[in-house]
Amino acid sequence: MKTTLKLVLLAVLSGAYVQAQAPVKPYLRIETGRHTAKVDRISVDASERFLVSASDDKTARVWDLRRGTLLEILRPPIGDFEEGKAYAVAISPDGTTVAVGGFMGADRSGNYPIYVFDRESGVIHNGISGIPYNTNHLAYSKDGRYLAAALGGGGGLRVFETRGYSEVAKDTEYGGDSYDVEFDSSGRLVTTSYDGFIRLYTPQFRLLRKVKAHSGVEPFSARFSPDGKLLAVGFNDAAAIDILSADDLSFQYSLHAPSAELGLSSTAWSTATICGAGSYGPTENSPVICWADRKQRVPTVFPIAGDILMDLLSLKEGALAFCTGDGSVGVLERSGAFRWRTSAGSLDFRTSVSGFSSFLAVSSDGQIVETGASYFEPSQWTHHNIRFSVAERKLETDPKTKSLLMRPVFDGLPIDNWEDTYNPTLNGKALVLNQGEMSRSLAISPEKNSFVLGSDWYIRRFDRQGKQIWETSTSDVAWRVNISGDGRFVVAALGDGTLRWYTFDTGQEILALFVDRDLKRWVAWTPDGFFTSEGGGDALIGYHINRGPGREGDFVKVDQLREVFYQPDLISQILTPGGEQALAVARRRIGDVAGILAGGQPPEIELLSPAQADVTEAYLLQFRVNDKGRGHGKFVYRLDGAEIEGLEGRGGVDIRGSGGDTVSRTIPIGSGAHTLTVTAYSANGKIESPPKTIQIRRLQAAAVPSLYVIAAGISYYSDNSLSGGVKFAAADADLVAARFKEQEGRGLYRQVNAIALRDREATIANITAQVARVAKVVKPGDTFVLYLAGHGVAEQGEYYFVPWEAEYTNREDWLKKSLNREAIQALLKQISTNKSLVILDTCNAGSFLDGREGPAEKAALERVALMSGRAVLAASNSKEMALEGYQDHGVFTYVLLQGLQEAESNANGEILIHRLAEFVLSHVPEVTEKKWNYRQLPLWKMEGELFPIARKSAKTAN
């Protein structure tokens, strides 16, 4: 007992004993590199180097004002519902500090702090607490000595000195929300308020004058003219700009828009020109309108936005910076041309956009959804229909086949005023919503005995008497809702660009989908954190983690969690009747994202070697590992996306340096330009750090490459019970090696080294030894092919190749004897070339043993490709095809052998790997359908770069 206690104490003192961590609360956020919600305010430093923007997406962002490049994302603490929405932002005149305000505290807490960030690092270095209402606008004085805040809720004005951000002045005698505060060069202040007044303060912050607005009752903005003599006041409720004297606020004149539509809330002085924008004009091209002087009756119109213009700022040489309600930020030159524009980072599912009527249709089982989606770029709205199948994990844009999916039912219950109103009714009786909550969408159940309302903040289900059955909060406005025909799911299209599935019985969220505006990348995930994606879509979302009051949040992208949570097979079956059980099993085995993130963040990598380099043969990578308190796990090196090992650096390996561990690795480089990345895992091996990226170019050409092929095929296992269904695997391995050997002498390769491992030769030990042999001689720029034929198994999202010696006693032990995805990945990373192709003719083993068919195996094979960074071409099909043969071959390998001779080639007669894949993907279904009336569908997953795999002979080319 004493010995045990002593060991535990020693472990604690040495840091080896880690107490179980309480789960954190991760907040999933969309992160596309752009804002994904309304941008309320912008600010610019005095030298016009930086533009900062504040958004309802709960971030503020720093942009290079000249080029529009995103430089930093500022992440204040956030919470549920509104908490964390950034309504206000200001950058100090010297550009070093950014103040962010808004709905920055818990609802009804009476404390809505302002956070002060270091602009370059994104670290919060100061906070202003005790503010009783949310901040709507912030402004630094021209000399940087003061920060002023305009508050909502009648909170009025607060002024803080910037040495310690203590309050030096306030005015609480406001009768409405204040939305603007502005300093002039002498230190005077002007504010606006929805109590109808404009207020002017002295440089000592004494109220000098307070006047009622002239053209509207909701003055929104007030801007000093460049000479400080006049003020331009814009209105939320009037299409006019009032010009006032900056000395006493006396009215001078008004400028009126050509029509009285809505308001010109934001104003700016562009040199001597006065400009205004807001909700004025048609939403498909919400314009900025400008007057050169008061005599210009018809203003100049610049149609620039696809949504309401939220803020305008005047820049040098007559340019204007702007932000919009759909998430856009940009700069308009005086000529009307865009210097740059960053449009919203998500698709728009609103009911009606620029004359396009959106919709949401769902299959009877909820597996397939189709919706209308829009985006604005560069100067007009574009509309598409997108269709997604959960089971097939397939996205279609503007599908050619007519949709047979069901749209929402609106008839059958007397529900009125449900679209874009605060007072929906059933039988004339009001349905209970929260104050300020607007109803947006409706779907009535197939049985007509209940219905679902989507609103600004919730999805709510009511019975036919109007009694609420459940409510679930949403990440954004529920623009559309629908109910699956089998009554199992509610599907919603939300304002953050996501589609979400909820259980109809309880309103529990079970799945979400985000499709990027490029309509190619997508990611689908569960609340537990399990996900699948396409085209790099897992880089589009992540988890915000609060680090405590007054501290900036951490952010972990989902692609940093691939090792644990990339589970395409699980997502495919999540909506099936057994999906919840499969999810529960995965949750017990792996955990959920909150628990994993509680285990600590990965370290930060600080690059010491150059981020751009020209080399002759190899690049010496050196970096420092800065621990975040929990240590680190393995390092991962990827060359053009393919994981490699790298060689020990000159003068030793991992050495202890000041400030952290310093690591040195030599990376051999082939001809041309390449991208190298390095990451570090957390100590528990589950979270990968963001990559550090190096661009490398080899100056001198490498030698003509060689081809190395290892082809293993097993027809007769040591366990005879496994020998069925793989009759041709060993012979196919011989033929694949021989077909690649024919490439020798055709000019593509200097030499071809191809070895076949048949039956008892195809053991784990022998395959491993052959890969190790190749690893010693392969050079960057060479090509490597690993061909495996025999039984393959998909189990819990992982792939296993069954070697010759694996005898079946029980499933768990049998899989331990197999070559799993991690083992295959370890083999591949020894190969120092990024030109690698994995060919797997292991279709059917999962079906052969337990009746499971293609989707599970396909998902597991995709995981092999993604995690290794290698291209994978595989025969992922059903049991019947693997048990048969075609002309003494497996069908897949027969077509593969043909493709190495007949696939489309380039002008040099070279067959690139994607052309070989296209040949296989098109011809395998043709063969199987013709012979067996069954479509076998191989799998192709491209990771890394394209490269030639074969060259046609002169006879074949002709």
Side-chain angles (χ1 to χ4, degrees):
M1 184 71 177
K2 290 181 179 179
T3 302
T4 303
L5 179 60
K6 182 179 179 180
L7 289 174
V8 170
L9 289 172
L10 287 172
V12 170
L13 291 173
S14 67
Y17 183 80
V18 179
Q19 187 177 8
Q21 299 297 311
V24 299
K25 182 171 183 178
Y27 295 90
L28 191 133
R29 312 300 300 166
I30 308 299
E31 184 48 69
T32 64
R34 313 177 183 207
H35 284 299
T36 56
K38 178 178 65 175
V39 180
D40 295 271
R41 291 292 189 172
I42 52 177
S43 179
V44 173
D45 68 304
S47 299
E48 296 191 0
R49 297 169 296 164
F50 309 108
L51 181 148
V52 293
S53 53
S55 172
D56 286 6
D57 67 12
K58 301 188 179 183
T59 70
R61 294 174 189 247
V62 183
W63 310 85
D64 182 316
L65 185 59
R66 297 174 180 86
R67 295 185 294 273
T69 306
L70 178 64
L71 301 176
E72 186 65 46
I73 302 174
L74 309 180
R75 299 188 183 278
I78 69 173
D80 296 316
F81 304 106
E82 303 290 288
E83 184 180 349
K85 287 188 174 181
Y87 300 156
V89 67
I91 186 168
S92 59
D94 63 5
T96 62
T97 301
V98 179
V100 179
F103 207 115
M104 290 297 163
D107 190 18
R108 301 176 185 174
S109 65
N111 180 28
Y112 299 87
I114 296 168
Y115 298 109
V116 182
F117 289 83
D118 175 73
R119 186 263 312 157
E120 186 172 13
S121 67
V123 172
I124 294 177
H125 62 63
N126 226 315
I128 307 170
S129 61
I131 300 174
Y133 301 97
N134 54 276
T135 302
N136 289 330
H137 194 221
L138 290 164
Y140 278 97
S141 60
K142 306 301 182 187
D143 58 10
R145 293 176 59 196
Y146 299 103
L147 175 70
L151 307 185
L157 171 70
R158 299 290 192 279
V159 182
F160 310 93
E161 52 81 22
T162 56
R163 285 178 299 178
Y165 287 92
S166 60
E167 185 179 290
V168 294
K170 66 179 179 180
D171 183 354
T172 60
E173 298 300 318
Y174 279 61
D177 294 335
S178 179
Y179 282 100
D180 205 64
V181 58
E182 167 102 336
F183 284 94
D184 76 351
S185 56
S186 70
R188 292 183 302 174
L189 265 176
V190 64
T191 67
T192 63
S193 173
Y194 276 13
D195 62 8
F197 288 97
I198 298 99
R199 293 167 171 84
L200 182 66
Y201 298 84
T202 69
Q204 294 74 38
F205 314 118
R206 178 176 57 84
L207 181 62
L208 180 65
R209 191 71 189 269
K210 169 183 169 183
V211 301
K212 201 74 172 176
H214 180 77
S215 293
V217 297
E218 295 180 346
F220 187 86
S221 65
R223 296 285 180 265
F224 285 101
S225 61
D227 60 9
K229 294 181 179 179
L230 296 172
L231 280 165
V233 178
F235 297 88
N236 184 57
D237 62 334
I241 298 174
D242 283 355
I243 307 301
L244 310 181
S245 167
D247 292 330
D248 58 7
L249 300 185
S250 59
F251 176 75
Q252 303 298 302
Y253 59 91
S254 290
L255 299 169
H256 292 274
S259 65
E261 299 178 53
L262 303 174
L264 291 174
S265 53
S266 296
T267 58
W269 296 83
S270 178
T271 60
T273 301
I274 305 168
C275 297
S279 55
Y280 174 80
T283 56
E284 62 266 20
N285 60 358
S286 297
V288 172
I289 58 177
C290 299
W291 292 264
D293 54 52
R294 65 182 299 180
K295 297 179 182 179
Q296 183 182 351
R297 293 188 176 182
V298 179
T300 304
V301 178
F302 300 103
I304 66 168
D307 206 322
I308 181 173
L309 276 155
M310 299 300 299
D311 202 4
L312 281 179
L313 289 179
S314 60
L315 304 175
K316 296 173 183 176
E317 300 177 354
L320 289 169
F322 66 88
C323 63
T324 74
D326 71 345
S328 297
V329 180
V331 174
L332 185 73
E333 300 288 10
R334 187 175 186 177
S335 64
F338 289 111
R339 179 187 303 176
W340 58 268
R341 178 197 181 107
T342 301
S343 298
S346 58
L347 295 172
D348 197 321
F349 298 136
R350 280 179 292 180
T351 307
S352 180
V353 177
S354 183
F356 173 75
S357 182
S358 183
F359 66 95
L360 177 61
V362 183
S363 63
S364 61
D365 59 1
Q367 291 277 4
I368 303 173
V369 295
E370 186 171 343
T371 184
S374 307
Y375 60 86
F376 187 87
E377 193 172 4
S379 57
Q380 64 181 10
W381 282 100
T382 299
H383 312 288
H384 293 283
N385 290 346
I386 58 174
R387 184 186 297 170
F388 186 80
S389 168
V390 177
E392 297 180 1
R393 295 180 291 116
K394 180 181 178 182
L395 175 69
E396 297 177 85
T397 302
D398 297 322
K400 296 179 181 179
T401 58
K402 185 177 180 181
S403 175
L404 300 177
L405 308 181
M406 297 174 289
R407 298 199 179 196
V409 174
F410 301 138
D411 300 323
L413 293 174
I415 304 168
D416 297 308
N417 299 324
W418 55 266
E419 190 168 18
D420 299 334
T421 73
Y422 295 104
N423 55 347
T425 62
L426 172 66
N427 283 318
K429 183 179 178 181
L431 295 167
V432 178
L433 305 181
N434 289 346
Q435 183 177 358
E437 180 184 0
M438 183 175 285
S439 174
R440 300 288 189 174
S441 52
L442 169 69
I444 296 174
S445 69
E447 294 80 11
K448 315 293 185 184
N449 59 2
S450 68
F451 61 95
V452 170
L453 278 185
S455 75
D456 287 345
W457 308 319
Y458 294 93
I459 294 173
R460 302 175 183 271
R461 181 184 169 199
F462 298 87
D463 65 19
R464 63 181 305 135
Q465 284 77 40
K467 180 182 178 181
Q468 182 171 292
I469 299 172
W470 53 256
E471 67 179 30
T472 186
S473 62
T474 57
S475 57
D476 214 310
V477 180
W479 291 119
R480 290 283 188 178
V481 292
N482 202 345
I483 301 169
S484 62
D486 60 9
R488 295 176 60 226
F489 302 112
V490 174
V491 184
L494 304 186
D496 61 0
T498 62
L499 295 169
R500 309 222 180 196
W501 284 255
Y502 307 85
T503 58
F504 182 68
D505 288 341
T506 64
Q508 178 185 2
E509 182 180 328
I510 54 174
L511 184 66
L513 170 72
F514 180 80
V515 178
D516 188 57
R517 56 187 293 136
D518 65 11
L519 302 177
K520 297 177 181 178
R521 297 183 295 170
W522 58 263
V523 55
W525 68 95
T526 71
D528 292 300
F530 302 108
F531 73 93
T532 185
S533 62
E534 187 65 45
D538 52 359
L540 299 174
I541 63 173
Y543 294 97
H544 175 110
I545 306 160
N546 289 329
R547 301 174 61 225
R551 300 187 66 185
E552 70 284 351
D554 279 332
F555 193 76
V556 176
K557 284 192 172 183
V558 165
D559 63 0
Q560 295 175 241
L561 301 167
R562 286 176 181 170
E563 186 74 35
V564 179
F565 288 111
Y566 177 67
Q567 301 287 339
D569 185 30
L570 183 62
I571 301 300
S572 292
Q573 57 184 312
I574 197 71
L575 300 181
T576 64
E580 180 56 39
Q581 182 179 358
L583 179 62
V585 170
R587 192 186 298 121
R588 288 194 298 270
R589 179 171 58 92
I590 297 173
D592 63 12
V593 70
I596 296 298
L597 292 175
Q601 299 298 300
E604 292 179 347
I605 290 179
E606 178 186 352
L607 195 62
L608 302 178
S609 51
Q612 291 185 322
D614 292 336
V615 300
T616 54
E617 291 185 4
Y619 172 79
L620 181 60
L621 170 66
Q622 292 180 312
F623 58 93
R624 180 177 292 118
V625 185
N626 297 318
D627 188 12
K628 287 194 172 182
R630 300 285 183 86
H632 65 78
K634 65 180 179 180
F635 302 119
V636 177
Y637 312 95
R638 294 183 177 94
L639 188 63
D640 298 323
E643 185 179 350
I644 60 173
E645 281 191 331
L647 305 175
E648 293 182 358
R650 294 194 298 265
V653 288
D654 303 352
I655 56 176
R656 181 70 60 178
S658 59
D661 289 336
T662 300
V663 180
S664 179
R665 284 289 182 275
T666 298
I667 310 295
I669 300 297
S671 298
H674 303 275
T675 299
L676 173 68
T677 63
V678 56
T679 62
Y681 271 84
S682 56
N684 62 10
K686 296 182 177 180
I687 310 175
E688 192 173 9
S689 70
K692 287 294 181 181
T693 302
I694 305 101
Q695 301 298 329
I696 308 170
R697 182 179 58 168
R698 177 164 172 159
L699 295 176
Q700 67 182 53
V704 176
S706 296
L707 170 64
Y708 297 88
V709 180
I710 298 174
I714 310 167
S715 292
Y716 299 100
Y717 281 84
S718 64
D719 183 343
N720 289 331
S721 67
L722 299 176
S723 297
V726 286
K727 179 179 179 181
F728 305 103
D732 280 346
D734 268 340
L735 290 168
V736 166
R739 182 59 50 86
F740 276 113
K741 185 66 177 178
E742 293 172 2
Q743 289 295 313
E744 199 165 69
R746 294 187 183 177
L748 180 59
Y749 301 114
R750 180 171 55 87
Q751 64 174 0
V752 177
N753 185 313
I755 184 170
L757 304 176
R758 293 174 55 103
D759 294 333
R760 66 176 57 247
E761 297 171 333
T763 63
I764 287 182
N766 208 11
I767 293 171
T768 301
Q770 291 299 329
V771 172
R773 176 187 62 82
V774 170
K776 292 178 180 179
V777 295
V778 73
K779 299 287 192 300
D782 288 343
T783 299
F784 175 73
V785 175
L786 178 63
Y787 171 91
L788 301 177
H791 282 314
V793 182
E795 179 76 11
Q796 295 181 334
E798 292 289 359
Y799 173 80
Y800 299 81
F801 174 72
V802 183
W804 174 83
E805 72 274 21
E807 295 185 355
Y808 191 91
T809 53
N810 62 70
R811 189 173 184 85
E812 183 177 352
D813 289 342
W814 184 63
L815 291 177
K816 287 180 181 178
K817 300 171 187 175
S818 298
L819 197 64
N820 66 8
R821 187 265 309 169
E822 288 186 356
I824 294 174
Q825 189 175 338
L827 292 177
L828 293 171
K829 76 176 183 179
Q830 297 177 55
I831 305 300
S832 61
T833 177
N834 57 335
K835 297 179 180 179
S836 298
L837 174 62
V838 181
I839 304 174
L840 301 171
D841 195 350
T842 61
C843 50
N844 144 70
S847 303
F848 175 74
L849 290 167
D850 63 6
R852 299 178 68 188
E853 295 189 354
E857 189 169 289
K858 178 181 178 182
L861 291 169
E862 287 181 354
R863 187 169 169 83
V864 173
L866 182 66
M867 301 305 295
S868 69
R870 261 60 176 197
V872 172
L873 180 58
S876 177
N877 65 348
S878 69
K879 176 170 63 178
E880 289 81 0
M881 299 306 102
L883 291 178
E884 298 291 340
Y886 187 78
Q887 298 190 8
D888 295 330
H889 296 286
V891 177
F892 170 79
T893 297
Y894 171 81
V895 174
L896 172 73
L897 293 169
Q898 278 190 315
L900 288 170
Q901 295 178 324
E902 301 175 15
E904 181 182 340
S905 60
N906 61 20
N908 297 322
E910 297 170 346
I911 300 172
L912 298 178
I913 53 172
H914 72 296
R915 297 302 185 197
L916 175 62
E918 289 170 359
F919 185 92
V920 172
L921 265 62
S922 63
H923 284 71
V924 167
E926 290 177 2
V927 171
T928 59
E929 194 164 34
K930 182 177 181 181
K931 184 172 177 62
W932 294 284
N933 196 30
Y934 184 91
R935 287 181 63 81
Q936 176 180 333
L937 300 174
L939 167 74
W940 165 244
K941 191 71 174 179
M942 178 66 207
E943 299 290 337
E945 67 170 25
L946 289 173
F947 56 89
I949 190 65
R951 174 173 282 171
K952 292 183 177 180
S953 65
K955 180 180 178 180
T956 306
N958 293 332

